[in-house]
Amino acid sequence: MLSAVGACVTVAGSIGAGYCLCREKSERAAQLFLLGRMFEMTAGEIGYSRSFLPDIFSETGRRLGRAQKGASAELGSVLIRAGERMLDEKGQPVETIWKEEMGIFLKKLLLTADEEREVLSFPDAVCYLDGERQKQAVERFAVIFRERAEEALKKAGQEKRTVMAVSAACGMLTALLLVW
């Protein structure tokens, strides 16, 4: 009786571990979509308002922050803080503020080192351009992250079946060894 309970717990634990791995892969795709959405909204704000970057970051942050919870709200707070810091009296460069504020947020996400570097390079790509070229540069960021998100989602879907099958099989094999 006790070995049967142990076997069931082993199988359930193995399947649970597989589920956690699958969930992490889907979460990564959602985070990439969020970054793509941020860049998309920023490009729209640049095209619509033709404001300065601090105002654009603040407005995009407010719009993202309407979610009131999760990564979207947290990203909105980061953008608002970055916009406020750009307007304060300390006169720090945009690149420094972006890397400090965004760098902390990006550490919480499931991004590759290249993706992190790409997000952190954002000010270098847009700060010294005129309005239309700035908008085009931000739109390129949006497209890149949307494509990566779609790719990650597709890859996650393919890997989910494999991970769940392997974790269930490993759990059953371990349970058989325990019972036997």
Side-chain angles (χ1 to χ4, degrees):
M1 171 75 171
L2 192 55
S3 62
V5 171
C8 289
V9 169
T10 301
V11 170
S14 181
I15 291 173
Y19 175 76
C20 287
L21 286 172
C22 292
R23 187 168 168 233
E24 187 175 286
K25 291 180 182 299
S26 295
E27 191 173 323
R28 180 178 182 285
Q31 292 169 351
L32 288 168
F33 273 118
L34 176 62
L35 290 171
R37 184 169 168 240
M38 175 198 68
F39 288 124
E40 212 171 80
M41 291 169 76
T42 302
E45 195 63 35
I46 290 169
Y48 176 73
S49 71
R50 299 277 190 218
S51 295
F52 296 110
L53 274 180
D55 297 333
I56 289 168
F57 285 159
S58 295
E59 183 56 33
T60 302
R62 277 192 283 284
R63 289 173 55 203
L64 282 170
R66 289 185 187 138
Q68 296 180 352
K69 64 177 182 170
S72 182
E74 193 172 348
L75 179 57
S77 297
V78 167
L79 290 174
I80 291 170
R81 272 194 316 275
E84 289 170 352
R85 283 185 61 190
M86 287 177 202
L87 293 174
D88 70 12
E89 302 292 320
K90 295 179 183 171
Q92 293 178 309
V94 174
E95 295 86 353
T96 302
I97 294 169
W98 181 261
K99 285 179 181 164
E100 287 175 5
E101 294 294 337
M102 212 45 158
I104 294 167
F105 175 71
L106 293 177
K107 295 292 180 207
K108 299 174 186 177
L109 303 182
L110 303 168
L111 302 179
T112 66
D114 287 340
E115 290 163 345
E116 252 185 69
R117 245 187 324 277
E118 201 158 355
V119 172
L120 293 177
S121 75
F122 172 71
D124 298 332
V126 299
C127 280
Y128 306 106
L129 301 175
D130 65 10
E132 189 57 36
R133 290 189 316 175
Q134 195 175 51
K135 180 182 174 210
Q136 291 170 353
V138 177
E139 286 173 341
R140 277 194 300 275
F141 275 92
V143 167
I144 288 168
F145 277 91
R146 198 173 329 114
E147 287 172 353
R148 285 188 180 172
E150 289 169 359
E151 183 182 305
L153 194 60
K154 182 180 174 183
K155 187 177 178 183
Q158 293 168 343
E159 290 175 351
K160 279 181 186 179
R161 290 184 291 276
T162 305
V163 168
M164 290 306 290
V166 168
S167 64
C170 288
M172 288 182 209
L173 178 63
T174 305
L176 282 172
L177 293 173
L178 286 174
V179 174
W180 196 354

